[in-house]
Amino acid sequence: MPKAVSAIAGHPLRMRRILVDGAIGAVAVAGMAAMRGLYSNELMLFNFIVFLALAQGLNIIYGFTGYLPFGYVGFYGAGAYGFALTVMHLHLPALLGMAAAAVAAILLALLLLPLLRLSGAYFAIASMAAAQAVYEVVANPALEDITKGPYGVSLAEVFAPAVSYYIALAILAGTLALVVWLRNSRFGLSLQAIRDDPVSAAMAGISVVRGRTIAWLLSALVAGLVGGVFAWHISVFYPDTAFDISISIFATVFLLFGGATTLSGPLLGVLILYGIYNAIGVTVPQYFQLTYGMLIVVLVLFLPNGLVSLLTARGIRVP
Amino acid sequence: MERLAKRFGGFRALDGITLHLHAGEVLGLVGPNGSGKTTCINVISGLYPPDGGQVTFDGQPIGAQASHRLVRLGINRTFQSPKPFLSLTVRENVDLAAYYGGREAPLGVDALLASLELDRMAERPAAELNSAQQKTLDLARAMATGPRLLLVDELAAGLNPAELARMAERLRRLAEAGLALLVVEHLMAFIDRVTDRVVVMAAGKEIFEGTLVAATQDAEVVRVFLGGGHHG
């Protein structure tokens, strides 16, 4: 390795960035851990963790490579059913179910690798169709003996909400650490280079296919693990719940609202928008669709690059 | 490269062209728009697979390898329209190439940035650079991979006279250091300052090889560039 390259790795500016990013991630995880003792609606807190992790998982593939999969929920559903089938049929411990959730999502991502040959809207729509196809298979009544078809699964034997809450927190912590690494490593920079210009990236010696594939698998892995821990925490669910397209939409909106490629953007997006979502749901549920829809329109019109662009447009680097 | 061919549908962009280039030599590739110059660079750099013929580098056929593998063999290029990574800083642009290029470059990143007068803007995003600076960054990124063959695609376009002179001097220094350079250019004054010999292309074929002075006196070259029928 050339001398100058190793000098860059220890750049003091980069060390400061890693510390700031790490501190933000640690505050987010510690905050969600502390909230469990302060707020009684654990399910709502759990859902916050789910979306905090999903928005960051989506950040890996969209923020760093520019691919926006509308069918991101497919990996989440694959993880949920990977967990459920392992626990139901093999009667294995929940932690092994989590491993199965990860494997299921990775296998689906490998199966869908050819989608990366598409780009833009074509990729987004194709990924949504793929997620729908997986849903149709899982929800098929003819597969009732295996997946329970449309009738849903019950995993009462492993139900342990306190444990699954902290496992979800651990997944969030791991995902945030992954994003911090991507933001501050040469591999993460190489992904951003591919996103900026794949031809130039290749002429910098970067393997474009390898970079995109790794980002795709990492992103799917996060969604699979989150889906798995969702199944563990909820313990009774249906294909419609695990493959609900609104999970993709929410994660996408939260990510875009905050600002992709950053660590703090998706965190802010979830905390603000999912906070508003829950507040509206509790106070004036009849106006929910209207309020949320208007919010998204305003976002697209006035902040297309997310909240963080208020600072980045002034040349300020956002963690 | 021997009898290289590339077709786009029914259009023959390269029609059996043969070029030889040695270490330390600067070969100019000139010709009217659409004659196949940039296609030639795109094929050698792995952007397009050839439809016929062979590219040989260091005595080994390189086939239709992916661009990043060719970079690691020692082939790199610049682009007619500069293509830096706009969201990254100048230093990150060059650092990535030095790291992933897979070859030891003669200069480290800092020295390379200084030699190309990019050191003062090293921590600025590439998007903030003007067009001439982005072209220089393209060159820096290519140089960071330690190439032995550098394909230079219209580097002079849009540069002012002072920038042209500096760029010509840089390319000459690279050749003196042993690099082989293939320079595609419309600006004949630049070609004259930089190259040892030129190949003139028309419709995907070579129509002349020799010095630039001889090329300007060749009847076929004059006809291709200025148009008109045969005299006499």
Side-chain angles (χ1 to χ4, degrees), chain A residues 181-204:
Chain A
W181 174 68
L182 286 175
R183 280 172 49 76
N184 296 286
S185 66
R186 279 202 182 81
F187 177 68
L189 283 179
S190 78
L191 292 182
Q192 292 180 65
I194 293 170
R195 181 199 60 197
D196 282 3
D197 195 312
V199 172
S200 285
M203 297 317 299

Side-chain angles (χ1 to χ4, degrees), chain A residues 1-2 4-5 8 11 13-14 17 186-187 189-190 192-193 195-197 199-207, chain B residues 45 47 67-68 71-72 76-77 79 83 85-88 91-92 95-101 104 108-109 141:
Chain A
M1 188 188 301
V5 172
I8 295 285
H11 202 272
L13 193 60
R14 181 156 297 173
R17 289 176 182 177
R186 279 202 182 81
F187 177 68
L189 283 179
S190 78
Q192 292 180 65
R195 181 199 60 197
D196 282 3
D197 195 312
V199 172
S200 285
M203 297 317 299
I206 297 165
S207 171
Chain B
S45 61
L47 209 57
S67 294
H68 72 278
V71 167
R72 292 169 192 176
N76 214 318
R77 63 173 292 173
F79 295 92
K83 291 156 78 77
F85 309 127
L86 294 174
S87 65
L88 307 187
R91 181 190 297 282
E92 286 167 342
D95 176 57
L96 275 181
Y99 185 75
Y100 285 99
E104 184 94 20
V109 173
R141 195 178 54 204

Side-chain angles (χ1 to χ4, degrees), chain B residues 133-154:
Chain B
Q133 290 166 335
Q134 289 191 356
K135 285 198 166 197
T136 310
L137 179 55
D138 251 13
L139 180 62
R141 195 178 54 204
M143 291 311 302
T145 64
R148 285 176 295 148
L149 168 62
L150 184 62
L151 314 165
V152 182
D153 194 3
E154 296 197 32

Side-chain angles (χ1 to χ4, degrees), chain B residues 32-140:
Chain B
N33 284 333
S35 58
K37 306 181 299 293
T38 296
T39 303
C40 203
I41 283 187
N42 286 341
V43 170
I44 299 171
S45 61
L47 209 57
Y48 303 147
D51 294 321
Q54 180 124 281
V55 179
T56 306
F57 183 65
D58 258 359
Q60 299 293 322
I62 57 175
Q65 294 192 49
S67 294
H68 72 278
R69 293 192 192 283
L70 296 177
V71 167
R72 292 169 192 176
L73 282 178
I75 299 174
N76 214 318
R77 63 173 292 173
T78 67
F79 295 92
Q80 188 176 343
S81 301
K83 291 156 78 77
F85 309 127
L86 294 174
S87 65
L88 307 187
T89 65
V90 169
R91 181 190 297 282
E92 286 167 342
N93 266 266
V94 179
D95 176 57
L96 275 181
Y99 185 75
Y100 285 99
R103 296 172 51 78
E104 184 94 20
L107 292 177
V109 173
D110 287 327
L112 185 58
L113 289 172
S115 74
L116 294 173
E117 298 166 44
L118 290 170
D119 48 335
R120 278 175 301 164
M121 51 199 81
E123 307 306 333
R124 282 168 53 188
E128 291 180 10
L129 270 54
N130 65 33
S131 175
Q133 290 166 335
Q134 289 191 356
K135 285 198 166 197
T136 310
L137 179 55
D138 251 13
L139 180 62

Side-chain angles (χ1 to χ4, degrees), chain A residues 90-108:
Chain A
L90 303 177
H91 305 287
L92 291 173
L95 281 177
L96 285 178
M98 289 301 297
V103 170
I106 292 287
L107 288 177
L108 181 61

